[in-house]
Every structure is written in C-alpha cells, then in structure tokens.
Amino acid sequence: MNRKMLVNAADPEEVRVAVLDEGVLQEFYIERAARETLVGNIYKGRVINIVFSLQAAFVDIGLGKNAFLHASEVVAPHAAPAGPARTAGQSPPPDTAPGTDTARRGPERHDRRPTPDLREALRPGQEILVQVTRDPVGDKGPSVSMDISIPGRYLVLTPQTRRFAVSRRIPDPAEREALKSLLTELDPPPDVGFIVRTAGTGQARRDLQRDLDGVVRLWRAVSEKAAADRAPVSLYTDSDLVIRTIRDLFTPEVEEVHIDSPSVLEKTIEFVSAVMPRFRGRFLLYEEAEPLFHKFGVETQIEGIYSKRVELPGGGSIVIEQTEALTAVDVNSGRTAGATPEEMALRTNLEACEEIGRQLRLRDIGGVIVIDFIDVKESEHRREVERAMKEVAKKDRSQTTILRMSRLGLLELAREKIRPGVKRLSFEECRACRGTGLVKSVESMGLWLLRLIRHELNAGTSVALEVRMNPDVAQYILNVKRKDLLQLEERYGRGVALLGEVGFEVERYELSRVRAEG
C-alpha cells in the first residue's frame, strides 16, 4: 500500500498533518498556534472543592478555569491490580492487562480498580499531579486524570502502576509474551510500569532501551519539579503536533513524509535520528511552488470533511448531523447493485461502515453516535454490519464501544472524545443564524417588524419611529406592505421611517424612538 504523511507547516499560525493511503485521506490533524492542545500536559494542581453529587473534584492547575477530575480518574500512588509489587529485575505478574497504543489509555484502564470514595481519596487544598485528558470546550475547563502516562516512541511509562502491559493492538499471545520478556531484560526501574506500543514490535533491544531511558529521564525531571514547586504549576508539556503525530502514527509502511518547512524538517529529523535513525531518509523537504496539500489532492478531500453529505462509491450516501447531545448518521441507498432490496441494503450498509469510520476519524467526532442503517430483515445481515463496524473501529486510535443493532436498524456507539472536533478549530458560529443553520425569510422578518412597529406605536411613548433594517426587508415592507404601514401611521398619528442598511443580515434591525421635547 502506498502510504504517505504530509506536514503542512509553511504558515506557523496553523500546522496540518495528513496521512494518505493510495491518495485517500485517512487521518487529518490540525493545530493553531493560538489554540494549542493541552492534552497530555502534566500539572501539579490544588483541589479547590469536591462535588459529591457529581462524583468529581475541581482542581486549580493555573489555567483560569478549574479542571474537572472525575472519581474514576482518581488513583492512589502505585495503584495496581491486586498482587505483589514488582522489584528490580523481576518479571511482571502473569495477569498483566492489555494496554492501548496511545499515550492516553482508553476507558478499560479503570476496569481493574474500583472507583474510590472521594471523601477518603481527596480533600480541599490537597496538591496532586494530574494530566489533561480532554481540552477545554466552551465554558468548561479541561478534564484531567491522576492516571498519568509518559509516551515514548515504543514505550509508555505509567508512574501509577508497577506492572507491564502490551498494546491491545498486538493480539498474538506469543508476540505479547516475547515483548514482556524483552522489557524485563531491559531492567526498568521497579517503581514505575510500562506499556509496549505497537511500534515496539520487532524493534531491536538497543532501540527499546534508548526509548526506556528517555521516558525514565523525563519522568524523573517531572518528579523533581513537582517536589520543588508549589501548585498550581505546569510540570510537562507534550510535544507539538508534528512530533506527536510522527511519534504515534509513523510506521515502516509509511514510504515518505513530506514537510514544507525547513525548520520543522530540521526539528523532525533531530527527533527521528534519536528514536528511529534508520528511517531518517524517508523525511523529505517539499520545495515545489504548488502548495503541498494541493499537490497531493488533499485540500478538496479536507473540504469534504465539512460537508454534511458524503457520497459512497456505489451511489449511496451518508448524512452526518452533529448536535450537543449526540451525532446522528443517516445511511441512504442509491444505485448500489443487488439482486434483491435486501442485498442492495446490505451492500450499501457495508460500504457505509468503512466511510463512517473514516469520517469519524477525520472529523474527530466523539461522544454518542447513532447510525441509522438501511433496514435489513435478516438477523445474520444485521450481525454482518455490526462485525464490519467493529473491524473499522480497529483502525481508530480513539477507544470505541459499539452496541448491537436494534430492530429498527439503529446502531449506537460511543467514541472517546479527547479534543474539540476539526470543525470547532476551523469555523465560528454564524452571527446571522446563531448556529442553527436557518434564518428568517425576508417576508417573515418584514411581517415581524410590522408587528413590532404596531406594538411601539400603541405604547405611545414616542412621536415617531426610525427603524434600520436589511435592505431587502425594507423593500418588502415599502412595496408589499406599504398600505399597512400607512394605515398604522394614520391610526396613531405618528411617522415611521424605514431605512435599509447595507451589511445588515436579514434578522438584524435597530429601532430608535423619537420622543417629544420637554
């Protein structure tokens, strides 16, 4: 498979990273200098208050808005599943739980420890170490966890556990055991734990040792700063978008990485030389006049991310609607070939599964997602669609939980939400429609203003009215409703001046009351 990574960093205000398979956009990340992510950053914070009804605490980490710490994210130092602790040189216990392939581990990280009683675990004024798991959204502060992790290229250091784990993306039991044995041979410190990432598969011992030494040094530095400084204070800032993406997404299957900024390329090669020097030759400077993303046909694919409707290869389509509570995805049939309506519906649904998974990754949609598939009558076909959706979810770095399809053809899933979606970074709420996507028609607004004028004239608090409005609305009233306006002026004995203002949206108006002197 022809797999490429593109890094568009020519404009320092906005950095974008794209991953292409055979020219098709599979992953897309964007970060603005004015809105850099906090996810992965570690702080020493102070507990401000505990809200038992929410089973949560609010922690001051020095950002202005207090961070939200749920009870399920509270961990005692060196919390671990029941069993003896590991000492230096000792192999990990056999019941090691699988980890994930990202620095932030998914919801299963809590499966093996009970939610603590906040009355016993925390107290107001207490200083604790936390890591940001979700960026601030709107008026809400960031979400944090005491379950800290320090990611390297091949390993993730987990200070709160003394256990070894292997990424859940490595399913082969023999390979998992081999990696755990190799990790033991590296003689890691006994007071922390480690997770072997997918990228660690097949790596030489010296590469893993270099990575282990690096994350241990980093954690020691964080610990020393935490001991020396008072809360709230920042202890660790995760790498920038380019380094994070290469650290987490680069695999031997990536044939080329094109970067259009010499300074970013220099910094990237410095990182690559330290953690995977044999791949240094795959990182190339893009110097052509045509913008990088246009050259590889990425810009048009990015624009598709912002569209509600996405066409499927077989002629069907999906429509994605995001709301505050959930995201709804509707699957529509088209020209998909099939001997029977049932077969046609199944083929369209299976096509939709692949595209839905891709769109969720590209748009970074999290939370509850409800998919309305085309109705299939046979239970085996419903199970086939479920299996297809689960296979697609395996490509996703975010933790995803998928439920069974209902009799109505609805499939519910929950996807881990870490950062605001791509749309939030690229768009602002429309001032005209206030985010609804709808504005009043010229006729409706004209009639509404006439009623307002009637109300003001009836109140009798002015000798005349002046109303500034959208020119089209003013034209409607003066042309279509002129008779009604004249009747109002005659009835109340007061004048009404209508002024069309260029630049006023349809729903915008300004009403001035001219009052009698004295």
Side-chain angles (χ1 to χ4, degrees), residues 11-279:
D11 299 311
E13 296 84 3
E14 181 179 85
V15 177
R16 302 183 298 170
V17 180
V19 180
L20 307 180
D21 285 343
E22 303 294 344
V24 178
L25 185 64
Q26 297 294 337
E27 306 270 357
F28 177 62
Y29 302 92
I30 180 172
E31 192 167 279
R32 294 251 171 86
R35 290 187 60 182
E36 291 184 347
T37 182
L38 302 176
V39 173
N41 295 357
I42 300 174
Y43 298 86
K44 184 178 183 180
R46 180 180 293 107
V47 178
I48 300 301
N49 64 323
I50 301 172
V51 183
F52 296 108
S53 60
L54 296 177
Q55 276 288 287
F58 289 90
V59 184
D60 177 13
I61 59 175
L63 298 179
K65 294 179 181 178
N66 290 335
F68 180 83
L69 174 64
H70 191 264
S72 62
E73 299 285 359
V74 175
V75 222
H78 297 303
R86 178 172 56 85
T87 58
Q90 182 181 5
S91 297
D95 59 346
T96 303
T100 68
D101 195 37
T102 59
R104 291 306 312 158
R105 301 181 299 288
E108 78 280 0
R109 67 185 182 273
H110 306 306
D111 291 348
R112 306 188 68 184
R113 69 165 188 261
T115 299
D117 185 343
L118 290 182
R119 293 178 177 84
E120 298 177 1
L122 298 174
R123 65 181 185 279
Q126 180 179 351
E127 295 188 346
I128 58 175
L129 265 60
V130 294
Q131 186 169 36
V132 177
T133 59
R134 183 174 171 184
D135 278 322
V137 178
D139 295 329
K140 298 178 181 178
S143 296
V144 296
S145 172
M146 294 174 67
D147 188 9
I148 290 170
S149 59
I150 306 286
R153 166 63 180 161
Y154 305 120
L155 303 172
V156 177
L157 184 148
T158 55
Q160 303 296 353
T161 175
R162 299 177 182 179
R163 305 280 169 156
F164 292 166
V166 178
S167 168
R168 60 185 169 85
R169 296 179 183 273
I170 304 175
D172 182 31
E175 178 68 22
R176 296 174 65 84
E177 288 304 317
L179 287 170
K180 282 186 275 188
S181 298
L182 180 57
L183 185 54
T184 304
E185 293 172 10
L186 301 179
D187 196 21
D191 57 338
V192 294
F194 291 90
I195 296 173
V196 183
R197 309 182 73 176
T198 306
T201 305
Q203 299 304 319
R205 175 173 174 164
R206 66 178 181 276
D207 294 332
L208 293 176
Q209 185 70 62
R210 187 189 301 117
D211 204 45
L212 184 145
D213 293 342
V215 292
V216 169
R217 279 196 304 271
L218 185 54
W219 173 242
R220 298 298 183 226
V222 169
S223 300
E224 290 171 8
K225 185 172 175 59
D229 295 348
R230 293 180 58 84
V233 63
S234 171
L235 303 176
Y236 163 77
T237 301
D238 201 2
S239 305
D240 62 32
L241 175 64
V242 177
I243 300 300
R244 284 199 317 270
T245 308
I246 291 168
R247 179 192 70 197
D248 296 340
L249 293 184
F250 183 87
T251 64
E253 288 73 32
V254 177
E255 298 177 357
E256 298 172 339
V257 179
H258 295 274
I259 302 175
D260 62 3
S261 165
S263 60
V264 173
L265 177 65
E266 182 181 354
K267 182 174 63 173
T268 302
I269 288 183
E270 182 180 343
F271 168 77
V272 172
S273 299
V275 299
M276 44 182 177
R278 65 181 178 277
F279 294 116

Side-chain angles (χ1 to χ4, degrees), residues 8 27 53 67 124 130 163 174 198 223 225 243 258 283 291 294 310 327 351 375 395 398 419-420 432 436 444 463 499:
N8 171 217
E27 306 270 357
S53 60
V130 294
R163 305 280 169 156
T198 306
S223 300
K225 185 172 175 59
I243 300 300
H258 295 274
F283 291 79
H294 283 86
V310 180
T327 298
E351 267 190 5
D375 185 41
K395 302 177 184 177
S398 290
R419 299 178 178 88
T436 65
S444 294
V463 296
L499 304 175

Side-chain angles (χ1 to χ4, degrees), residues 441-454 457 465-489 496-500 506 508-511:
S441 66
V442 169
E443 182 180 7
S444 294
M445 193 60 196
L447 295 173
W448 189 89
L449 283 174
L450 274 177
R451 290 190 286 268
L452 177 65
I453 290 169
R454 184 183 297 114
L457 293 175
L465 295 176
E466 181 180 276
V467 189
R468 299 177 182 274
M469 63 189 70
N470 174 274
D472 292 336
V473 176
Q475 283 278 71
Y476 170 78
I477 296 175
L478 292 174
N479 291 338
V480 180
K481 304 298 289 184
R482 175 182 291 274
K483 182 178 179 181
D484 300 74
L485 182 63
L486 292 174
Q487 287 176 349
L488 288 175
E489 289 179 315
V496 179
L498 304 185
L499 304 175
V506 171
R508 181 180 172 186
Y509 72 94
E510 293 177 3
L511 186 145

